[in-house]
Amino acid sequence: MAKVTQMDAQKRAMAALKDSSKATVKQAELEVEHGCLMYSFDMEVAGQKGVQEVQIDAGDGKVLSNKHEGPKAEAADKAKDKAKTPSN
């Protein structure tokens, strides 16, 4: 279903940052959110607390969002994702 590869999406996500040389991808996933198939990248940026979350449309490669999540928001997102995951 994804027309854009994860590697291409990651390149676009890095390009969306002000200074990508200070960023490393902490987590990447392909997910459906609001009916849209997208790649979500959590990036650690040197000198910043929390992560920069960049979402890329898996169909056309457009940047859907680029926002900073502080440590509290990042922890809340992890808890929400864990709740979505079915237990064994």
Side-chain angles (χ1 to χ4, degrees):
M1 288 175 73
K3 295 178 182 175
V4 176
T5 66
Q6 183 172 333
M7 186 57 71
D8 285 342
Q10 183 172 321
K11 287 177 186 175
R12 290 178 191 223
M14 291 295 268
L17 300 177
K18 288 181 183 178
D19 186 0
S20 62
S21 68
K22 295 182 180 181
T24 55
V25 176
K26 190 173 176 182
Q27 181 179 348
E29 63 184 329
L30 181 63
E31 62 185 349
V32 175
E33 202 167 294
H34 308 293
C36 182
L37 185 63
M38 67 178 73
Y39 290 100
S40 180
F41 297 95
D42 287 347
M43 297 186 215
E44 208 166 54
V45 180
Q48 286 186 1
K49 292 184 178 184
V51 295
Q52 191 71 23
E53 182 184 47
V54 182
Q55 295 177 328
I56 305 293
D57 188 305
D60 61 15
K62 289 184 182 176
V63 176
L64 298 173
S65 72
N66 180 0
K67 64 182 179 181
H68 181 75
E69 289 186 345
K72 287 182 183 180
E74 181 184 5
D77 268 358
K78 282 184 182 179
K80 185 176 77 173
D81 286 346
K82 191 173 186 176
K84 286 183 192 175
T85 306
S87 59
N88 294 333

